[in-house]
Amino acid sequence: MDDSESEGPTIQELGNQIGGLLIRIQEALTILFLWVQQRVLRTAVLLCVLFLLLWMAIFLYGSFYYSFMPTANFITPVYFYYRTDCPSPHHPVCAFPMANFSLLRNSKKQVMTYGQTYQMTLELEMPESPTNEQQGMFMVEMSCYTNEGQIVATTARSTMLHYRSNLLQSLGTLTFLPLLLLGATEQKQYVLVELFSSYVDNSYKPTVGAVIQIYSQQIQIYKAQLYIHAHFSGIRYILYHFPLTSAVVGVMSNFTFLSMLILISYLQVALGSIWPIKNFGSWNKDWHKRGNVPEAAKEYERITHPEVNSSGTMTHLLEASEMGPNDIMDATSGQMEQSILNTEVEYKVKTNDTFPEEQHVSEVQNDEVYLKLRFLSERVSDVSTDPPDKAYYRTETCLSS
């Protein structure tokens, strides 16, 4: 009985194993939950940034399109008027029909953009009456004026009704008789008169209105409208005739540019080592210190003497001509640092009897020489790899006999 119990695990061991397994499962689930939470948070932040960039790209393209593209089409009604106070009763109309209208949108904004070419066309809705057929050709004149009333452009075009024979008119009347009876259609023609084919507004004398006059007293007109259509070229032609393609290309270009800006800013913040401005400043400072090493060595030669101090050591500097590649590697860093410390003790002992001001100046010079010589001791291991034609400084420690 005891042997069977000793062979299998006890209840406590099983409980410990199950507890450890549950703890590991809990830890794994916690790590998984934190990983999923972190991934979801990063994905949400990324989607928000992408949505913001897309919205900014669309806004920039819309602003560019609104400011760069002028008015493509403008339609304004033309109302003709004439005089009726005729001296003779046989002529009820004493003047030619005339219309004066504005070329400003909402009486404030100009319709035409400076430097843009426009086409102006007058549409006359005229009935096919015997009076209009007997008119033949008639003249239409248009004059554009500025805000001061100065005429800047004038044009005149001739036009007439399209010819239709009596047989064709009879067949047309029979064909459209039901529609004519119901009033769905009328016997009329639309006459288009191209007044300006390439009108360019002057920035110094902007056009604010126009006057149209028809040189015919007996003409009959249902309605008249003036169409102003812009002739685009270059980028404006592409933006107007291919709006969807232009919008996709413009939005994607803005999105790419903004994404590059965000990416470069993120790299500059996250990976500052790409542009080591601080490291460059410290390197530049160290470089100036390296350039002052010869002066520090000369100052050290001036204030110290090759005499034996209390510790029995002597410190001196050798000229570059007296040094060789083998001599440079003789002195170790430890010996050089010990020599620097002994030199400092010697210098302090010698300067104890000086005046306070002289002692302060000597301590500043001593600190500078100590730093420079320590820099030389750290650079000894790199001296052997430099070209042989450079000048080196060496600090040698000699044990006095």
Side-chain angles (χ1 to χ4, degrees):
M1 188 67 178
D2 295 336
D3 296 337
S4 61
E5 291 180 356
S6 60
E7 290 178 358
T10 61
I11 297 176
Q12 185 177 3
E13 292 177 354
L14 289 175
N16 293 334
Q17 293 178 0
I18 294 173
L21 180 61
L22 292 177
I23 292 174
R24 287 194 294 269
I25 293 175
Q26 184 180 4
E27 292 177 354
L29 292 176
T30 304
I31 294 174
L32 180 62
F33 175 76
L34 294 176
W35 182 81
V36 171
Q37 184 180 9
Q38 187 178 9
R39 291 294 180 181
V40 170
L41 181 61
R42 290 183 179 179
T43 304
V45 172
L46 180 61
L47 291 177
C48 291
V49 171
L50 292 178
F51 178 76
L52 179 61
L53 292 178
L54 182 61
W55 184 86
M56 292 181 62
I58 295 174
F59 176 76
L60 290 176
Y61 177 77
S63 302
F64 166 75
Y65 187 89
Y66 179 77
S67 61
F68 184 73
M69 288 296 295
T71 303
N73 297 303
F74 178 74
I75 303 174
T76 180
V78 179
Y79 302 103
F80 290 97
Y81 61 92
Y82 48 85
R83 291 175 53 192
T84 58
D85 52 345
C86 300
S88 175
H90 300 287
H91 298 280
V93 179
C94 303
F96 298 123
M98 182 182 296
N100 189 357
F101 54 92
S102 175
L103 294 178
L104 297 177
R105 183 173 308 209
N106 298 328
S107 301
K108 296 180 180 179
K109 184 179 179 181
Q110 291 188 353
V111 175
M112 293 179 288
T113 305
Y114 308 137
Q116 177 62 43
T117 304
Y118 290 92
Q119 178 185 5
M120 298 185 184
T121 304
L122 178 65
E123 182 187 62
L124 299 175
E125 184 179 343
M126 302 174 61
E128 293 180 343
S129 61
T131 303
N132 286 336
E133 291 178 356
Q134 293 175 4
Q135 287 290 326
M137 296 184 65
F138 55 91
M139 189 74 69
V140 179
E141 184 184 31
M142 179 176 179
S143 301
C144 300
Y145 59 88
T146 62
N147 195 20
E148 292 79 13
Q150 182 181 1
I151 303 297
V152 293
T154 302
T155 184
R157 295 289 188 272
S158 61
T159 185
M160 63 177 295
L161 285 175
H162 295 282
Y163 173 74
R164 295 180 65 185
S165 64
N166 294 329
L167 179 60
L168 183 58
Q169 290 180 2
S170 301
L171 293 176
T173 302
L174 293 175
T175 303
F176 296 100
L177 182 60
L179 298 177
L180 292 173
L181 293 176
L182 294 175
T185 185
E186 296 179 359
Q187 290 179 329
K188 61 184 179 181
Q189 290 186 14
Y190 291 94
V191 180
L192 297 178
V193 184
E194 184 179 346
L195 300 174
F196 287 98
S197 59
S198 57
Y199 182 82
V200 180
D201 196 10
N202 190 354
S203 60
Y204 297 100
K205 298 178 181 180
T207 303
V208 298
V211 175
I212 294 180
Q213 187 174 10
I214 300 178
Y215 291 96
S216 176
Q217 294 181 352
Q218 303 296 329
I219 191 170
Q220 298 175 352
I221 300 173
Y222 282 152
K223 185 172 62 175
Q225 287 183 337
L226 181 69
Y227 293 88
I228 300 177
H229 180 71
H231 287 289
F232 297 122
S233 60
I235 299 178
R236 289 176 176 173
Y237 179 85
I238 298 174
L239 293 176
Y240 180 74
H241 292 279
F242 305 97
L244 183 60
T245 305
S246 303
V248 172
V249 174
V251 171
M252 292 305 298
S253 301
N254 293 333
F255 182 80
T256 303
F257 177 73
L258 295 175
S259 300
M260 292 299 297
L261 288 181
I262 296 297
L263 181 60
I264 292 174
S265 302
Y266 173 77
L267 290 177
Q268 187 175 5
V269 173
L271 305 176
S273 59
I274 298 180
W275 296 278
I277 300 177
K278 296 182 179 180
N279 295 338
F280 175 77
S282 61
W283 175 83
N284 193 15
K285 190 179 296 183
D286 293 340
W287 178 258
H288 288 300
K289 288 181 180 179
R290 295 177 189 177
N292 295 331
V293 168
E295 289 128 1
K298 291 180 182 179
E299 183 71 15
Y300 177 75
E301 288 181 346
R302 188 178 65 82
I303 64 176
T304 58
H305 302 281
E307 299 177 356
V308 180
N309 54 18
S310 60
S311 61
T313 60
M314 181 178 65
T315 305
H316 61 88
L317 296 175
L318 295 179
E319 296 294 333
S321 60
E322 299 176 2
M323 295 177 61
N326 297 328
D327 296 331
I328 294 174
M329 301 304 298
D330 290 338
T332 62
S333 300
Q335 294 175 349
M336 297 182 72
E337 292 180 3
Q338 183 64 31
S339 175
I340 292 170
L341 294 176
N342 295 333
T343 304
E344 181 182 4
V345 173
E346 176 187 0
Y347 186 76
K348 288 183 178 181
V349 170
K350 289 183 177 182
T351 56
N352 280 336
D353 298 331
T354 58
F355 293 97
E357 295 181 356
E358 296 178 355
Q359 184 177 359
H360 177 69
V361 174
S362 300
E363 287 177 0
V364 173
Q365 294 175 351
N366 184 32
D367 293 337
E368 184 180 0
V369 173
Y370 176 79
L371 293 176
K372 300 306 177 182
L373 293 179
R374 184 174 181 85
F375 170 75
L376 287 174
S377 67
E378 293 175 354
R379 295 287 294 176
V380 167
S381 59
D382 298 332
V383 172
S384 59
T385 59
D386 294 337
D389 57 344
K390 290 186 176 180
Y392 299 93
Y393 290 89
R394 175 176 178 267
T395 303
E396 181 182 2
T397 304
C398 301
L399 297 175
S400 61
S401 57

Short mmCIF file of all heavy atoms in Angstrom, two decimals, residues 249-303:
data_model
loop_
_atom_site.label_atom_id
_atom_site.label_comp_id
_atom_site.label_asym_id
_atom_site.label_seq_id
_atom_site.Cartn_x
_atom_site.Cartn_y
_atom_site.Cartn_z
N VAL A 249 -6.09 61.85 -59.13
CA VAL A 249 -4.65 62.12 -59.17
C VAL A 249 -4.28 63.22 -58.18
O VAL A 249 -3.28 63.12 -57.45
CB VAL A 249 -4.22 62.50 -60.60
CG1 VAL A 249 -2.76 62.94 -60.62
CG2 VAL A 249 -4.41 61.32 -61.54
N GLY A 250 -5.07 64.29 -58.12
CA GLY A 250 -4.77 65.38 -57.20
C GLY A 250 -4.86 64.97 -55.74
O GLY A 250 -3.98 65.30 -54.94
N VAL A 251 -5.90 64.23 -55.38
CA VAL A 251 -6.07 63.80 -53.99
C VAL A 251 -4.96 62.83 -53.59
O VAL A 251 -4.39 62.92 -52.49
CB VAL A 251 -7.46 63.18 -53.79
CG1 VAL A 251 -7.57 62.53 -52.41
CG2 VAL A 251 -8.55 64.23 -53.93
N MET A 252 -4.62 61.89 -54.47
CA MET A 252 -3.56 60.93 -54.15
C MET A 252 -2.20 61.62 -54.05
O MET A 252 -1.36 61.25 -53.21
CB MET A 252 -3.51 59.83 -55.21
CG MET A 252 -4.73 58.92 -55.20
SD MET A 252 -5.06 58.17 -53.58
CE MET A 252 -3.57 57.21 -53.33
N SER A 253 -1.96 62.63 -54.89
CA SER A 253 -0.70 63.37 -54.79
C SER A 253 -0.61 64.11 -53.46
O SER A 253 0.43 64.06 -52.78
CB SER A 253 -0.58 64.34 -55.96
OG SER A 253 -0.62 63.66 -57.20
N ASN A 254 -1.67 64.77 -53.08
CA ASN A 254 -1.68 65.46 -51.77
C ASN A 254 -1.54 64.47 -50.62
O ASN A 254 -0.83 64.73 -49.64
CB ASN A 254 -2.96 66.26 -51.61
CG ASN A 254 -3.04 67.42 -52.58
OD1 ASN A 254 -2.03 67.94 -53.03
ND2 ASN A 254 -4.25 67.81 -52.94
N PHE A 255 -2.22 63.32 -50.73
CA PHE A 255 -2.13 62.31 -49.68
C PHE A 255 -0.70 61.77 -49.55
O PHE A 255 -0.19 61.59 -48.44
CB PHE A 255 -3.10 61.18 -49.99
CG PHE A 255 -3.14 60.09 -48.95
CD1 PHE A 255 -3.86 60.26 -47.78
CD2 PHE A 255 -2.44 58.91 -49.13
CE1 PHE A 255 -3.88 59.27 -46.81
CE2 PHE A 255 -2.45 57.91 -48.18
CZ PHE A 255 -3.19 58.10 -47.01
N THR A 256 -0.04 61.53 -50.67
CA THR A 256 1.34 61.03 -50.64
C THR A 256 2.27 62.07 -50.04
O THR A 256 3.15 61.75 -49.22
CB THR A 256 1.79 60.66 -52.05
OG1 THR A 256 0.88 59.69 -52.61
CG2 THR A 256 3.19 60.06 -52.03
N PHE A 257 2.10 63.32 -50.42
CA PHE A 257 2.97 64.38 -49.90
C PHE A 257 2.79 64.54 -48.39
O PHE A 257 3.77 64.63 -47.64
CB PHE A 257 2.64 65.68 -50.62
CG PHE A 257 3.42 66.86 -50.13
CD1 PHE A 257 4.76 66.99 -50.43
CD2 PHE A 257 2.81 67.83 -49.36
CE1 PHE A 257 5.49 68.08 -49.97
CE2 PHE A 257 3.53 68.92 -48.90
CZ PHE A 257 4.88 69.04 -49.21
N LEU A 258 1.55 64.55 -47.93
CA LEU A 258 1.31 64.67 -46.49
C LEU A 258 1.81 63.46 -45.72
O LEU A 258 2.34 63.58 -44.61
CB LEU A 258 -0.19 64.87 -46.23
CG LEU A 258 -0.80 66.18 -46.77
CD1 LEU A 258 -2.30 66.18 -46.55
CD2 LEU A 258 -0.17 67.38 -46.07
N SER A 259 1.67 62.27 -46.32
CA SER A 259 2.18 61.06 -45.66
C SER A 259 3.69 61.09 -45.53
O SER A 259 4.24 60.69 -44.50
CB SER A 259 1.74 59.83 -46.46
OG SER A 259 0.33 59.75 -46.53
N MET A 260 4.38 61.59 -46.55
CA MET A 260 5.83 61.71 -46.47
C MET A 260 6.25 62.69 -45.38
O MET A 260 7.21 62.45 -44.64
CB MET A 260 6.39 62.13 -47.82
CG MET A 260 6.27 61.09 -48.91
SD MET A 260 7.16 59.56 -48.52
CE MET A 260 8.84 60.17 -48.46
N LEU A 261 5.52 63.79 -45.25
CA LEU A 261 5.83 64.74 -44.19
C LEU A 261 5.65 64.12 -42.80
O LEU A 261 6.49 64.28 -41.91
CB LEU A 261 4.95 65.98 -44.33
CG LEU A 261 5.25 66.93 -45.50
CD1 LEU A 261 4.29 68.11 -45.47
CD2 LEU A 261 6.69 67.42 -45.44
N ILE A 262 4.54 63.41 -42.63
CA ILE A 262 4.29 62.76 -41.33
C ILE A 262 5.34 61.69 -41.05
O ILE A 262 5.84 61.56 -39.92
CB ILE A 262 2.88 62.15 -41.31
CG1 ILE A 262 1.81 63.25 -41.43
CG2 ILE A 262 2.65 61.35 -40.05
CD1 ILE A 262 1.81 64.24 -40.28
N LEU A 263 5.72 60.92 -42.07
CA LEU A 263 6.72 59.87 -41.89
C LEU A 263 8.09 60.46 -41.53
O LEU A 263 8.77 59.95 -40.63
CB LEU A 263 6.81 59.03 -43.16
CG LEU A 263 7.80 57.85 -43.13
CD1 LEU A 263 7.42 56.87 -42.03
CD2 LEU A 263 7.84 57.15 -44.48
N ILE A 264 8.49 61.52 -42.21
CA ILE A 264 9.78 62.14 -41.91
C ILE A 264 9.77 62.73 -40.49
O ILE A 264 10.75 62.61 -39.75
CB ILE A 264 10.09 63.22 -42.96
CG1 ILE A 264 10.35 62.56 -44.31
CG2 ILE A 264 11.30 64.05 -42.53
CD1 ILE A 264 10.53 63.55 -45.45
N SER A 265 8.66 63.34 -40.10
CA SER A 265 8.58 63.88 -38.74
C SER A 265 8.65 62.77 -37.69
O SER A 265 9.32 62.91 -36.67
CB SER A 265 7.28 64.67 -38.59
OG SER A 265 7.20 65.71 -39.53
N TYR A 266 7.97 61.64 -37.97
CA TYR A 266 8.01 60.52 -37.02
C TYR A 266 9.42 59.95 -36.91
O TYR A 266 9.90 59.64 -35.81
CB TYR A 266 7.03 59.45 -37.49
CG TYR A 266 7.10 58.18 -36.68
CD1 TYR A 266 6.53 58.09 -35.41
CD2 TYR A 266 7.76 57.05 -37.18
CE1 TYR A 266 6.60 56.94 -34.67
CE2 TYR A 266 7.84 55.89 -36.45
CZ TYR A 266 7.26 55.82 -35.19
OH TYR A 266 7.34 54.67 -34.47
N LEU A 267 10.10 59.81 -38.05
CA LEU A 267 11.46 59.28 -38.00
C LEU A 267 12.40 60.23 -37.28
O LEU A 267 13.30 59.80 -36.56
CB LEU A 267 11.97 59.03 -39.43
CG LEU A 267 11.30 57.87 -40.19
CD1 LEU A 267 11.84 57.79 -41.61
CD2 LEU A 267 11.51 56.55 -39.46
N GLN A 268 12.21 61.53 -37.44
CA GLN A 268 13.06 62.49 -36.75
C GLN A 268 12.86 62.45 -35.24
O GLN A 268 13.79 62.63 -34.47
CB GLN A 268 12.78 63.89 -37.28
CG GLN A 268 13.74 64.94 -36.75
CD GLN A 268 13.51 66.29 -37.38
OE1 GLN A 268 12.57 66.44 -38.15
NE2 GLN A 268 14.35 67.26 -37.08
N VAL A 269 11.62 62.18 -34.81
CA VAL A 269 11.35 62.10 -33.38
C VAL A 269 11.76 60.75 -32.80
O VAL A 269 12.40 60.67 -31.75
CB VAL A 269 9.85 62.38 -33.11
CG1 VAL A 269 9.52 62.15 -31.64
CG2 VAL A 269 9.51 63.81 -33.50
N ALA A 270 11.39 59.67 -33.51
CA ALA A 270 11.64 58.33 -32.98
C ALA A 270 13.08 57.89 -33.16
O ALA A 270 13.65 57.24 -32.29
CB ALA A 270 10.71 57.32 -33.65
N LEU A 271 13.68 58.23 -34.27
CA LEU A 271 15.05 57.82 -34.56
C LEU A 271 15.91 59.07 -34.67
O LEU A 271 16.24 59.52 -35.76
CB LEU A 271 15.11 57.00 -35.85
CG LEU A 271 14.19 55.77 -35.90
CD1 LEU A 271 14.25 55.11 -37.26
CD2 LEU A 271 14.57 54.77 -34.81
N GLY A 272 16.24 59.66 -33.54
CA GLY A 272 17.03 60.88 -33.56
C GLY A 272 18.45 60.69 -34.01
O GLY A 272 19.14 61.66 -34.31
N SER A 273 18.92 59.46 -34.07
CA SER A 273 20.29 59.22 -34.50
C SER A 273 20.51 59.47 -35.97
O SER A 273 21.64 59.54 -36.43
CB SER A 273 20.68 57.77 -34.17
OG SER A 273 19.79 56.88 -34.84
N ILE A 274 19.40 59.59 -36.74
CA ILE A 274 19.58 59.86 -38.17
C ILE A 274 20.15 61.25 -38.37
O ILE A 274 20.98 61.49 -39.21
CB ILE A 274 18.23 59.69 -38.90
CG1 ILE A 274 17.76 58.24 -38.75
CG2 ILE A 274 18.35 60.07 -40.36
CD1 ILE A 274 16.45 57.98 -39.44
N TRP A 275 19.68 62.22 -37.57
CA TRP A 275 20.21 63.58 -37.61
C TRP A 275 20.79 63.91 -36.23
O TRP A 275 20.14 64.55 -35.41
CB TRP A 275 19.12 64.58 -37.96
CG TRP A 275 18.58 64.37 -39.32
CD1 TRP A 275 19.11 64.79 -40.50
CD2 TRP A 275 17.38 63.66 -39.66
NE1 TRP A 275 18.33 64.39 -41.53
CE2 TRP A 275 17.27 63.70 -41.06
CE3 TRP A 275 16.41 63.00 -38.94
CZ2 TRP A 275 16.22 63.10 -41.73
CZ3 TRP A 275 15.37 62.39 -39.59
CH2 TRP A 275 15.28 62.45 -40.97
N PRO A 276 22.03 63.45 -35.90
CA PRO A 276 22.58 63.63 -34.54
C PRO A 276 23.05 65.06 -34.32
O PRO A 276 24.23 65.37 -34.37
CB PRO A 276 23.73 62.64 -34.51
CG PRO A 276 24.18 62.56 -35.93
CD PRO A 276 22.96 62.76 -36.78
N ILE A 277 22.10 65.95 -34.06
CA ILE A 277 22.47 67.34 -33.85
C ILE A 277 23.25 67.51 -32.55
O ILE A 277 24.26 68.20 -32.50
CB ILE A 277 21.20 68.21 -33.84
CG1 ILE A 277 20.48 68.05 -35.18
CG2 ILE A 277 21.54 69.66 -33.58
CD1 ILE A 277 19.17 68.81 -35.25
N LYS A 278 22.75 66.84 -31.48
CA LYS A 278 23.45 66.96 -30.20
C LYS A 278 24.83 66.32 -30.29
O LYS A 278 25.80 66.84 -29.78
CB LYS A 278 22.62 66.31 -29.10
CG LYS A 278 21.29 67.01 -28.86
CD LYS A 278 20.55 66.35 -27.73
CE LYS A 278 19.21 67.05 -27.46
NZ LYS A 278 18.48 66.42 -26.36
N ASN A 279 24.90 65.15 -30.91
CA ASN A 279 26.20 64.49 -31.04
C ASN A 279 27.15 65.32 -31.88
O ASN A 279 28.34 65.37 -31.63
CB ASN A 279 26.00 63.11 -31.68
CG ASN A 279 25.20 62.19 -30.78
OD1 ASN A 279 25.14 62.40 -29.57
ND2 ASN A 279 24.58 61.19 -31.36
N PHE A 280 26.61 65.99 -32.90
CA PHE A 280 27.46 66.83 -33.72
C PHE A 280 28.03 67.98 -32.90
O PHE A 280 29.19 68.36 -33.05
CB PHE A 280 26.66 67.38 -34.91
CG PHE A 280 27.43 68.36 -35.74
CD1 PHE A 280 28.39 67.92 -36.64
CD2 PHE A 280 27.20 69.72 -35.60
CE1 PHE A 280 29.09 68.83 -37.40
CE2 PHE A 280 27.90 70.63 -36.36
CZ PHE A 280 28.85 70.18 -37.27
N GLY A 281 27.18 68.57 -32.02
CA GLY A 281 27.68 69.64 -31.19
C GLY A 281 28.77 69.19 -30.24
O GLY A 281 29.79 69.86 -30.08
N SER A 282 28.60 68.03 -29.59
CA SER A 282 29.63 67.51 -28.70
C SER A 282 30.88 67.13 -29.46
O SER A 282 32.00 67.36 -29.01
CB SER A 282 29.09 66.31 -27.93
OG SER A 282 28.72 65.28 -28.84
N TRP A 283 30.71 66.57 -30.68
CA TRP A 283 31.87 66.22 -31.49
C TRP A 283 32.65 67.46 -31.90
O TRP A 283 33.87 67.49 -31.89
CB TRP A 283 31.41 65.47 -32.72
CG TRP A 283 32.52 65.17 -33.69
CD1 TRP A 283 33.40 64.14 -33.65
CD2 TRP A 283 32.88 65.94 -34.84
NE1 TRP A 283 34.26 64.20 -34.68
CE2 TRP A 283 33.98 65.30 -35.44
CE3 TRP A 283 32.39 67.11 -35.40
CZ2 TRP A 283 34.58 65.79 -36.58
CZ3 TRP A 283 32.98 67.59 -36.53
CH2 TRP A 283 34.06 66.94 -37.12
N ASN A 284 31.91 68.52 -32.22
CA ASN A 284 32.57 69.76 -32.61
C ASN A 284 33.35 70.34 -31.43
O ASN A 284 34.45 70.87 -31.58
CB ASN A 284 31.52 70.74 -33.11
CG ASN A 284 32.15 71.91 -33.83
OD1 ASN A 284 33.32 71.85 -34.19
ND2 ASN A 284 31.38 72.96 -34.01
N LYS A 285 32.76 70.23 -30.23
CA LYS A 285 33.43 70.73 -29.05
C LYS A 285 34.69 69.93 -28.77
O LYS A 285 35.75 70.49 -28.44
CB LYS A 285 32.47 70.68 -27.85
CG LYS A 285 32.99 71.40 -26.63
CD LYS A 285 31.96 71.30 -25.51
CE LYS A 285 30.67 72.01 -25.92
NZ LYS A 285 29.70 71.99 -24.82
N ASP A 286 34.59 68.59 -28.89
CA ASP A 286 35.77 67.75 -28.71
C ASP A 286 36.83 68.05 -29.75
O ASP A 286 38.03 67.99 -29.48
CB ASP A 286 35.38 66.28 -28.77
CG ASP A 286 34.52 65.90 -27.59
OD1 ASP A 286 34.55 66.63 -26.58
OD2 ASP A 286 33.80 64.87 -27.69
N TRP A 287 36.40 68.38 -30.95
CA TRP A 287 37.37 68.67 -32.01
C TRP A 287 38.16 69.95 -31.67
O TRP A 287 39.35 70.04 -31.92
CB TRP A 287 36.64 68.83 -33.33
CG TRP A 287 37.55 69.17 -34.48
CD1 TRP A 287 37.73 70.38 -35.05
CD2 TRP A 287 38.41 68.26 -35.17
NE1 TRP A 287 38.64 70.29 -36.07
CE2 TRP A 287 39.09 69.00 -36.15
CE3 TRP A 287 38.69 66.91 -35.03
CZ2 TRP A 287 40.01 68.43 -37.01
CZ3 TRP A 287 39.61 66.35 -35.88
CH2 TRP A 287 40.26 67.09 -36.86
N HIS A 288 37.46 70.96 -31.13
CA HIS A 288 38.16 72.17 -30.72
C HIS A 288 39.13 71.87 -29.58
O HIS A 288 40.22 72.45 -29.52
CB HIS A 288 37.16 73.23 -30.29
CG HIS A 288 36.40 73.82 -31.44
ND1 HIS A 288 37.02 74.49 -32.46
CD2 HIS A 288 35.08 73.82 -31.73
CE1 HIS A 288 36.13 74.90 -33.34
NE2 HIS A 288 34.93 74.50 -32.92
N LYS A 289 38.71 70.96 -28.70
CA LYS A 289 39.63 70.58 -27.62
C LYS A 289 40.87 69.90 -28.18
O LYS A 289 41.99 70.13 -27.74
CB LYS A 289 38.93 69.66 -26.63
CG LYS A 289 37.88 70.37 -25.78
CD LYS A 289 37.25 69.41 -24.81
CE LYS A 289 36.21 70.13 -23.95
NZ LYS A 289 35.58 69.20 -23.00
N ARG A 290 40.68 69.04 -29.19
CA ARG A 290 41.84 68.36 -29.79
C ARG A 290 42.78 69.37 -30.45
O ARG A 290 43.99 69.19 -30.46
CB ARG A 290 41.35 67.35 -30.81
CG ARG A 290 40.54 66.23 -30.21
CD ARG A 290 40.03 65.31 -31.28
NE ARG A 290 39.09 64.34 -30.74
CZ ARG A 290 38.44 63.45 -31.47
NH1 ARG A 290 38.63 63.41 -32.77
NH2 ARG A 290 37.59 62.61 -30.90
N GLY A 291 42.17 70.42 -31.05
CA GLY A 291 43.03 71.42 -31.68
C GLY A 291 43.85 72.21 -30.68
O GLY A 291 44.89 72.75 -31.04
N ASN A 292 43.43 72.27 -29.42
CA ASN A 292 44.16 73.02 -28.41
C ASN A 292 45.17 72.17 -27.65
O ASN A 292 45.78 72.65 -26.71
CB ASN A 292 43.19 73.63 -27.39
CG ASN A 292 42.29 74.66 -28.03
OD1 ASN A 292 42.69 75.31 -29.00
ND2 ASN A 292 41.07 74.80 -27.50
N VAL A 293 45.35 70.91 -28.06
CA VAL A 293 46.29 70.04 -27.35
C VAL A 293 47.72 70.54 -27.44
O VAL A 293 48.44 70.57 -26.45
CB VAL A 293 46.17 68.59 -27.88
CG1 VAL A 293 47.32 67.73 -27.36
CG2 VAL A 293 44.85 68.00 -27.42
N PRO A 294 48.23 70.99 -28.61
CA PRO A 294 49.62 71.49 -28.65
C PRO A 294 49.83 72.68 -27.73
O PRO A 294 50.85 72.78 -27.06
CB PRO A 294 49.80 71.87 -30.11
CG PRO A 294 48.83 71.02 -30.84
CD PRO A 294 47.65 70.91 -29.94
N GLU A 295 48.83 73.65 -27.68
CA GLU A 295 49.03 74.78 -26.79
C GLU A 295 49.05 74.34 -25.34
O GLU A 295 49.78 74.88 -24.51
CB GLU A 295 47.91 75.80 -27.00
CG GLU A 295 48.11 76.49 -28.34
CD GLU A 295 46.88 76.42 -29.16
OE1 GLU A 295 45.89 75.87 -28.64
OE2 GLU A 295 46.90 76.91 -30.29
N ALA A 296 48.18 73.35 -24.99
CA ALA A 296 48.17 72.86 -23.61
C ALA A 296 49.49 72.20 -23.25
O ALA A 296 49.99 72.34 -22.14
CB ALA A 296 47.02 71.87 -23.42
N ALA A 297 50.07 71.48 -24.22
CA ALA A 297 51.36 70.83 -23.95
C ALA A 297 52.46 71.86 -23.75
O ALA A 297 53.32 71.71 -22.88
CB ALA A 297 51.71 69.88 -25.11
N LYS A 298 52.44 72.95 -24.59
CA LYS A 298 53.46 73.99 -24.42
C LYS A 298 53.30 74.68 -23.06
O LYS A 298 54.28 75.02 -22.40
CB LYS A 298 53.34 75.00 -25.54
CG LYS A 298 53.75 74.43 -26.90
CD LYS A 298 53.61 75.48 -27.98
CE LYS A 298 53.98 74.90 -29.34
NZ LYS A 298 53.83 75.90 -30.42
N GLU A 299 52.05 74.92 -22.65
CA GLU A 299 51.81 75.54 -21.35
C GLU A 299 52.32 74.65 -20.22
O GLU A 299 52.86 75.13 -19.23
CB GLU A 299 50.31 75.83 -21.18
CG GLU A 299 49.93 76.53 -19.90
CD GLU A 299 50.41 77.97 -19.91
OE1 GLU A 299 50.76 78.46 -21.00
OE2 GLU A 299 50.43 78.57 -18.82
N TYR A 300 52.14 73.34 -20.41
CA TYR A 300 52.63 72.40 -19.39
C TYR A 300 54.15 72.43 -19.32
O TYR A 300 54.75 72.37 -18.24
CB TYR A 300 52.14 71.00 -19.72
CG TYR A 300 52.65 69.94 -18.78
CD1 TYR A 300 52.12 69.83 -17.50
CD2 TYR A 300 53.66 69.06 -19.17
CE1 TYR A 300 52.58 68.88 -16.62
CE2 TYR A 300 54.13 68.11 -18.29
CZ TYR A 300 53.59 68.02 -17.03
OH TYR A 300 54.05 67.08 -16.17
N GLU A 301 54.83 72.54 -20.46
CA GLU A 301 56.29 72.62 -20.45
C GLU A 301 56.76 73.90 -19.75
O GLU A 301 57.80 73.93 -19.10
CB GLU A 301 56.82 72.60 -21.88
CG GLU A 301 56.70 71.22 -22.53
CD GLU A 301 57.27 71.25 -23.93
OE1 GLU A 301 57.49 72.35 -24.47
OE2 GLU A 301 57.49 70.17 -24.49
N ARG A 302 55.98 74.99 -19.89
CA ARG A 302 56.40 76.26 -19.31
C ARG A 302 56.28 76.27 -17.79
O ARG A 302 57.09 76.87 -17.11
CB ARG A 302 55.56 77.40 -19.91
CG ARG A 302 56.02 78.79 -19.53
CD ARG A 302 55.17 79.84 -20.22
NE ARG A 302 53.79 79.77 -19.76
CZ ARG A 302 53.35 80.33 -18.64
NH1 ARG A 302 54.17 80.98 -17.84
NH2 ARG A 302 52.08 80.23 -18.29
N ILE A 303 55.24 75.63 -17.28
CA ILE A 303 55.00 75.73 -15.84
C ILE A 303 55.59 74.58 -15.05
O ILE A 303 55.54 74.59 -13.82
CB ILE A 303 53.49 75.83 -15.57
CG1 ILE A 303 52.81 74.56 -16.01
CG2 ILE A 303 52.88 77.03 -16.24
CD1 ILE A 303 51.32 74.55 -15.70
#
